[in-house]
Amino acid sequence: MALNSSFFINCVRLLSGGLLATFLAGAFAAGEDDTAPPPPTPTSQCPDGQIYDKKTKKCQPANHTGFNDKDRYLALRELAYAGRYRSAELVLQTISNNSSSEVLAYVGFLHRKQGRYIEALNSYMLALDKNPNNILVRSYLGQGFVEQKRLDLAELQLNEIRQRNGSGTWAEESLSLAIKTGLTSSY
């Protein structure tokens, strides 16, 4: 699906223009790097929508009472990074606070990786509304722009990452590499 470039330009102006700067109270501080790939666990081998339970030493449905939102979030990250998008979406549905900036980053990521760019953009914008300093979202947003051949918009997000103390992080490095090569990260 081709996207309306003026729509993207207006969105990026909104995101980069400081209109969201009043929403600085987010779960990640500027420059915090929660962007390294998660280490694989047995969850990667569980059936779709299940998480490995260390206590029972077996896979359990993600809505199992033994799991809390942090467990579910970590499983969501791991499954998204592993390319198990359907399973990640099933886990996402069980997270009670699925509107946090961190969770919305993965909602956008899942949409983008499945070619749903408008939905991805909407999720990224919601995430940045909650926390403009979420450099992971900015990297994913920029990589989406690379995939759409909008390097100018990707560069804007790279600059935002750097201005928000993201220099030297995976978020900066992966977006910079995507802009140079045209190849986006699989996580």
Side-chain angles (χ1 to χ4, degrees):
M1 164 186 274
L3 297 177
N4 181 328
S5 62
S6 65
F7 175 73
F8 273 108
I9 291 169
N10 289 333
C11 291
V12 172
R13 283 184 184 140
L14 174 67
L15 295 174
S16 301
L19 294 176
L20 300 173
T22 58
F23 298 99
L24 293 176
F28 285 130
E32 189 171 324
D33 190 19
D34 185 33
T35 59
T41 71
T43 292
S44 295
Q45 305 306 315
C46 288
D48 282 351
Q50 295 191 10
I51 301 171
Y52 184 76
D53 186 344
K54 294 176 189 173
K55 294 174 188 159
T56 64
K57 299 194 183 317
K58 63 181 187 176
C59 297
Q60 299 282 359
N63 63 356
H64 176 62
T65 58
F67 300 127
N68 59 34
D69 272 359
K70 181 178 179 182
D71 298 327
R72 292 178 181 106
Y73 172 75
L74 293 174
L76 165 65
R77 281 189 77 223
E78 179 179 348
L79 293 165
Y81 278 112
R84 295 196 50 211
Y85 307 133
R86 176 68 183 137
S87 189
E89 285 178 332
L90 291 170
V91 171
L92 171 65
Q93 293 171 5
T94 66
I95 295 176
S96 62
N97 181 14
N98 58 12
S99 64
S100 71
S101 181
E102 296 74 31
V103 172
L104 286 167
Y106 287 99
V107 172
F109 177 85
L110 293 170
H111 284 308
R112 181 173 63 86
K113 287 306 206 175
Q114 296 177 81
R116 300 186 304 250
Y117 291 100
I118 296 294
E119 293 90 340
L121 178 63
N122 289 335
S123 295
Y124 293 148
M125 290 182 65
L126 287 170
L128 290 174
D129 184 49
K130 292 180 178 294
N131 180 5
N133 293 317
N134 188 328
I135 61 173
L136 178 63
V137 172
R138 291 188 179 281
S139 183
Y140 287 163
L141 176 60
Q143 290 184 51
F145 288 138
V146 169
E147 290 168 358
Q148 294 294 306
K149 311 289 188 240
R150 291 304 311 264
L151 299 183
D152 55 330
L153 300 178
E155 286 280 351
L156 286 173
Q157 291 308 310
L158 183 60
N159 290 334
E160 285 290 326
I161 290 169
R162 290 174 176 153
Q163 290 173 9
R164 294 169 189 278
N165 299 323
S167 296
T169 63
W170 178 90
E172 179 203 29
E173 292 170 9
S174 63
L175 181 53
S176 179
L177 185 61
I179 291 168
K180 289 176 188 168
T181 67
L183 302 173
T184 59
S185 174
S186 62
Y187 60 86

